[in-house]
Amino acid sequence: MKSKLPEGAVEVDSIFELFKHKIENNEKLTPKMQDILEASLLLFAEKGYSNTSTKDIARSANVAEGTIFKHFGSKENLLYASILPLLSQSLEDLIPTYSQNNLDRLSTMSFANFLHQVLPERINFAGNNLKIWKIFLTEYLYQETMRDNLITLIPKVLLDEINQIINLFKEKKEIIDWPNEEIIRLIISIIAGYVVAKSMGFSTNSETKTETDHLILFLEKGLHP
């Protein structure tokens, strides 16, 4: 039996749909484990990770609370050992990587032009999947564990590509020579803050392109050596 959400639960998005597909086609997961994972992600998106109890998950997945502990050990383990890896796989399928030809073109491209080329699409993707991102963005603000593990959500192939791009612009002296992980965290934090603020109506500018241009300028100046 698939999990049942309480009245008023969040609508799913493309990340969740792919996440659901992956758990339903994972032969290592029993039907009960699938229901627990599906219910957990939806409830985390609806109520937040901290505000969701294992009792809530058990009720939504129509299983005994002890079943969650039997299969996953704890709510934290459920998130970090099961949900985050599955979401990372989903992101790897959804977020396109650069082709080698495009990577080669970066040698003649400025950092600002690169941001203008890739950020609008990524910001739009994040905004369209905001309900899922809120699970991580909310916890990122309050939990040190989430801050330490956020970067692990980025698929390895994408992280390797990002590091390659950062190193290239460092060599060109277009961005400051800070640790790559620190630069990635700063960029994620700034973009995430913008997307969440806009979704909550804090934006004072109705022109999305103008705001995106300002965001890119902020990143360009802030990371300038």
Side-chain angles (χ1 to χ4, degrees):
M1 180 182 294
K2 289 300 173 185
S3 57
K4 296 180 180 178
L5 288 176
E7 185 176 351
V10 295
E11 295 178 1
V12 297
D13 51 32
S14 58
I15 295 178
F16 177 78
E17 286 301 324
L18 189 52
F19 174 89
K20 181 179 176 182
H21 174 77
K22 287 185 178 296
I23 64 174
E24 289 178 351
N25 288 275
N26 189 330
E27 295 179 354
K28 296 181 180 179
L29 298 173
T30 67
K32 285 186 177 181
M33 292 172 72
Q34 292 176 4
D35 288 346
I36 290 169
L37 286 169
E38 183 178 332
S40 298
L41 188 65
L42 284 169
L43 286 170
F44 291 163
E46 178 201 358
K47 300 173 62 174
Y49 171 78
S50 296
N51 294 326
T52 299
S53 67
T54 52
K55 186 175 294 185
D56 294 329
I57 296 170
R59 186 183 303 114
S60 180
N62 198 27
V63 300
E65 190 174 5
T67 304
I68 297 174
F69 298 122
K70 174 184 176 182
H71 290 299
F72 300 101
S74 66
K75 186 178 75 166
E76 184 177 70
N77 197 54
L78 176 64
L79 176 65
Y80 289 110
S82 298
I83 290 179
L84 282 184
L86 281 167
L87 283 177
S88 179
Q89 293 171 24
S90 299
L91 288 175
E92 187 170 350
D93 290 345
L94 285 171
I95 300 179
T97 56
Y98 256 51
S99 66
Q100 187 58 50
N101 286 339
N102 284 333
L103 288 172
D104 292 340
R105 285 177 51 223
L106 291 181
S107 59
T108 60
M109 188 182 298
S110 70
F111 183 56
N113 286 340
F114 168 74
L115 292 177
H116 277 287
Q117 183 178 100
V118 302
L119 273 194
E121 180 184 356
R122 301 303 193 267
I123 290 173
N124 187 56
F125 174 79
N128 289 340
N129 292 274
L130 188 63
K131 295 179 181 67
I132 296 296
W133 290 121
K134 278 184 177 178
I135 299 172
F136 309 102
L137 300 180
T138 302
E139 301 306 316
Y140 180 81
L141 296 175
Y142 300 109
Q143 289 199 38
E144 184 177 353
T145 304
M146 182 64 81
R147 289 195 292 273
D148 292 341
N149 285 278
L150 180 66
I151 203 167
T152 65
L153 183 62
I154 303 174
K156 185 181 184 303
V157 63
L158 186 58
L159 186 59
D160 289 344
E161 180 182 280
I162 291 171
N163 279 309
Q164 183 179 349
I165 291 170
I166 289 175
N167 289 336
L168 186 149
F169 285 115
K170 280 183 180 179
E171 292 171 4
K172 294 172 64 176
K173 309 296 184 185
E174 291 202 26
I175 61 176
I176 196 165
D177 189 15
W178 289 345
N180 286 7
E181 184 171 316
E182 184 177 349
I183 292 174
I184 294 170
R185 286 180 187 276
L186 284 170
I187 293 174
I188 290 176
S189 298
I190 291 168
I191 294 175
Y194 165 74
V195 171
V196 171
K198 192 171 182 64
S199 74
M200 297 174 69
F202 291 159
S203 172
T204 58
N205 193 332
S206 59
E207 293 293 331
T208 299
K209 184 181 183 305
T210 300
E211 286 196 331
T212 302
D213 288 344
H214 292 168
L215 176 66
I216 290 172
L217 182 62
F218 184 83
L219 287 170
E220 179 191 0
K221 299 300 183 183
L223 292 174
H224 193 273

